[in-house]
Amino acid sequence: MVNPLLKNIGEDVMGFLNEIQLKYPTAISLASGRPDEHYFGLQDFPVYFNTYVDAVAAAEKKDRQTVMNNLGQYNRAKGIINEQVAAYLEKDEGIKANPEDLLITVGTQEALAIAVMTLCDKEKDVIIVEDPTYVGITHFSIITGYPVTPVQVNERGLCLNTLEQKILQHRQQGKNVKIVYVISDYQNPTGNIMPVENRLRLLELAGKYDFFILEDNAYGEFSYDGTNVLSLKALDTGKRVIYLRSFSKTLYPSLRLAALVAGQQVVEEGKVTSLSDLMAKTKGYITVNTPSINQAVFGGILIKNNYSLKQVNREKIANLKEKRDQLISSLNRFLDAGKFPWAKDISWNIPGGGFFITIKVPFKVTKAEVITCAEQYHLVFTPMSFFYLGEGGDYEIRLAFSHVSVAQISTGIERLAMYLENSIRINN
Ligand SMILES: Cc1ncc(COP(=O)(O)O)c(C=O)c1O
């Protein structure tokens, strides 16, 4: 027997998409939200590592060998580059955090696990997630048995009236909503952004109903026109937000680094305790500590760039904008309803940042449709239903344009249009 909860996660979304990609290697993939490898700059890895070693040796008056030996050892569960990351958060994101309130985690995925396992009582507490959302939180909660409830999103993010109703319904059933998980910037999968008035209202609701907001920011800096809405964390005056900042998309996923910011105090057995200390305790039994070598490389990147990633990301953002523009112009060209009447019921959003776009289509998009499109049209996309915890997304697809080239986007959309035309004809 294995964990019976495993079967509740239904579709192994990532596994399925990977298999399709392997089976049809020449297909263009608009399925994967991977960052573009052209910007990784991994050849500079040793430079950054050495920058960090030199900086620590100078600050702590130690020789390089001692610093390196320390990097080879077990290390602090909270992390070793907390000061550098706190400086970055303040400079680039307007978030003031005490370095001791930070945990440097093995990606956001570990931070999600730590937050849920530290805060929630499986018997009494409920986690609310946006529907659709990133499967990292939903699938983790399902396989570990934490109750998770979906609330739909629209083009303004989480539906706050429905959220309030759900909280009250749970209370009537003797359950407490402990965490509300949101991706407020360029949400995965929809690509939408939560406007500031909704952020303020969500913060107000968190105070009123006493829950934590788990804000997952993986895409916030990828704003194409440079206009950014302040994060919930930066707007939070009531210490309601636990902030998760992934560096997988801004730098590269193999660093496996994210920052968790939790400046709250909680009462534990009558004693006031810092939440970040409790989280460090949980982390100790998940990954012991985050690899120090990776932290040193990231620390070096921050030191070399004066604690800002704005310059590091400038070209990437310009490139993403070019891809978004190519995507929209290709959609306008190949799905022009004036020229192609079959395309009249197809629509899409125009994301202002991030990696994703949503396309609405007039037929049900199943797993079989993905296979047909890959096999016959050499294009892979993701059905939006893969990201729903509840019912929904049957008539939508997500396209991710971060990983492909500008030229592939135009070919990919031409192929998508051929596939859509055929499917619409078959379904009529
Ligand atoms: C919203 C969101 N959070 C987190 C992640 C991954 O984070 P990490 O690589 O830091 O675990 C992703 C990746 O797709 C994502 O879309």
Side-chain angles (χ1 to χ4, degrees):
M1 266 304 275
V2 295
N3 176 5
L5 298 174
L6 269 173
K7 64 177 180 305
N8 295 348
I9 61 171
E11 187 61 71
D12 174 12
V13 180
M14 300 309 159
F16 170 68
L17 292 173
N18 282 340
E19 257 173 53
I20 294 280
Q21 193 66 65
L22 287 173
K23 197 161 169 201
Y24 305 102
T26 57
I28 293 176
S29 176
L30 293 175
S32 158
R34 294 172 169 213
D36 190 330
E37 286 118 36
H38 290 102
Y39 299 97
F40 284 178
L42 239 67
Q43 65 282 2
D44 297 330
F45 191 109
V47 176
Y48 295 124
F49 180 79
N50 284 315
T51 300
Y52 178 80
V53 172
D54 288 339
V56 175
E60 297 182 3
K61 299 194 174 33
K62 289 182 179 143
D63 58 85
R64 278 180 56 88
Q65 193 54 51
T66 308
V67 175
M68 284 200 283
N69 288 349
N70 288 343
L71 290 176
Q73 269 300 357
Y74 288 109
N75 237 311
R76 289 180 77 228
K78 275 193 181 176
I80 58 169
I81 54 166
N82 304 43
E83 289 199 6
Q84 290 86 347
V85 175
Y88 154 80
L89 287 170
E90 181 159 6
K91 194 161 189 180
D92 273 11
E93 305 201 23
I95 295 171
K96 278 198 178 144
N98 180 336
E100 272 308 301
D101 292 337
L102 258 60
L103 266 75
I104 310 301
T105 59
V106 182
T108 295
Q109 191 57 39
E110 190 202 15
L112 290 170
I114 294 171
V116 169
M117 293 174 91
T118 307
L119 289 168
C120 294
D121 177 336
K122 285 182 191 173
E123 305 306 317
K124 298 183 190 147
D125 296 330
V126 173
I127 302 161
I128 286 190
V129 297
E130 296 170 318
D131 210 25
T133 195
Y134 174 55
V135 293
I137 178 104
T138 41
H139 288 182
F140 172 79
S141 305
I142 291 169
I143 62 177
T144 48
Y146 288 91
V148 55
T149 299
V151 167
Q152 78 264 24
V153 291
N154 58 28
E155 62 290 346
R156 298 167 68 79
L158 190 67
C159 292
L160 298 175
N161 290 339
T162 317
L163 170 67
E164 202 165 359
Q165 283 163 14
K166 280 269 156 74
I167 293 171
L168 294 171
Q169 274 169 18
H170 280 301
R171 285 191 170 186
Q172 274 169 2
Q173 293 155 3
K175 299 278 183 193
N176 174 41
V177 170
K178 180 61 77 65
I179 291 177
V180 173
Y181 169 82
V182 289
I183 307 162
S184 30
D185 290 340
Y186 314 120
Q187 203 240 12
N188 182 7
T190 60
N192 292 332
I193 186 158
M194 185 190 281
V196 70
E197 12 356 317
N198 289 42
R199 292 178 194 226
L200 293 171
R201 169 121 193 274
L202 178 59
L203 287 163
E204 202 181 292
L205 291 175
K208 182 169 173 192
Y209 294 108
D210 192 21
F211 58 81
F212 288 104
I213 299 167
L214 197 50
E215 181 179 28
D216 181 350
N217 189 357
Y219 304 100
E221 62 274 72
F222 299 120
S223 155
Y224 307 140
D225 64 3
T227 54
N228 264 326
V229 183
L230 280 179
S231 62
L232 283 151
K233 183 69 184 173
L235 293 165
D236 179 24
T237 49
K239 297 216 166 195
R240 288 286 154 193
V241 180
I242 296 163
Y243 187 65
L244 313 182
R245 152 50 79 197
S246 174
F247 297 104
S248 289
K249 313 288 171 163
T250 32
L251 294 166
Y252 34 93
S254 76
L255 264 182
R256 302 307 307 129
L257 288 181
L260 180 158
V261 188
Q264 294 83 358
Q265 305 284 319
V266 286
V267 180
E268 201 25 35
E269 291 171 348
K271 246 180 57 201
V272 179
T273 314
S274 120
L275 184 55
S276 62
D277 284 354
L278 285 178
M279 288 182 165
K281 195 163 156 185
T282 308
K283 176 175 167 60
Y285 298 101
I286 302 180
T287 54
V288 185
N289 62 252
T290 298
S292 303
I293 298 173
N294 299 29
Q295 292 191 67
V297 172
F298 183 38
I301 293 174
L302 290 176
I303 294 165
K304 269 244 183 271
N305 289 286
N306 208 12
Y307 306 101
S308 172
L309 296 178
K310 287 205 187 300
Q311 193 54 38
V312 174
N313 283 314
R314 189 149 295 160
E315 252 186 73
K316 293 177 209 175
I317 297 167
N319 177 259
L320 270 170
K321 180 178 185 301
E322 199 185 338
K323 289 176 182 175
R324 190 275 316 255
D325 291 346
Q326 179 66 59
L327 186 78
I328 300 296
S329 67
S330 302
L331 288 167
N332 285 333
R333 179 167 162 219
F334 294 114
L335 297 171
D336 176 356
K339 258 201 207 153
F340 312 115
W342 53 265
K344 69 179 177 5
D345 296 319
I346 302 173
S347 60
W348 52 87
N349 61 334
I350 302 182
F355 289 14
F356 311 108
I357 187 173
T358 305
I359 316 273
K360 290 194 171 132
V361 297
F363 61 92
K364 198 166 174 166
V365 185
T366 58
K367 221 169 111 175
E369 290 286 334
V370 180
I371 299 169
T372 304
C373 186
E375 200 171 78
Q376 296 176 15
Y377 299 92
H378 311 288
L379 176 81
V380 187
F381 62 80
T382 316
M384 196 60 104
S385 57
F386 281 15
F387 304 101
Y388 275 80
L389 186 61
E391 295 296 310
D394 284 343
Y395 296 87
E396 288 174 356
I397 62 181
R398 183 196 79 171
L399 299 184
F401 49 90
S402 50
H403 189 247
V404 281
S405 67
V406 174
Q408 278 176 318
I409 288 175
S410 132
T411 314
I413 298 301
E414 191 175 4
R415 292 177 186 179
L416 180 75
M418 289 192 278
Y419 153 75
L420 289 174
E421 180 181 7
N422 189 51
S423 294
I424 288 167
R425 287 195 203 290
I426 291 171
N427 282 282
N428 270 335

